[in-house]
């Protein structure tokens, strides 16, 4: 993998993570308006667990970038 490709992929990953966090934050007031605080918290806990399982599956399939030789 070239440095340019690694930079592009890392930038895309950071953008996606930032947008995911903003989206979750944008929905929180909407959830709070119709759910109790406990149910809203439970929703975010479940979503976090689903994301963790998804990241685990992806991590198992995506090889690590090879390090430069010293």
């Amino acid at each position: 993998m070239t440095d340019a490709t690694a930079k592009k992929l890392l930038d895309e990953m950071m953008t996606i993570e930032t947008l995911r966090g903003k989206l979750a934050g944008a929905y929180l007031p909407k959830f709070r308006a119709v759910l109790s605080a406990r149910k809203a918290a439970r929703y975010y806990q479940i979503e976090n667990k689903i994301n963790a399982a998804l990241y685990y599956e992806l991590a198992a399939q995506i090889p690590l970038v090879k390090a430069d030789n010293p």
Side-chain angles (χ1 to χ4, degrees), residues 14-67:
M14 295 306 294
T15 298
I16 290 167
E17 288 299 314
T18 299
L19 291 173
R20 190 177 74 75
K22 286 182 181 179
L23 184 62
Y27 271 93
L28 182 56
K30 296 175 183 184
F31 289 143
R32 284 182 170 160
V34 296
L35 298 173
S36 69
R38 288 175 49 191
K39 285 186 179 180
R42 184 171 172 83
Y43 169 82
Y44 278 93
Q45 284 180 317
I46 292 169
E47 184 166 316
N48 187 44
K49 287 184 179 286
I50 291 169
N51 285 331
L54 176 62
Y55 287 150
Y56 176 81
E57 289 296 321
L58 289 173
Q61 297 174 24
I62 299 172
L64 289 175
V65 174
K66 293 183 181 176

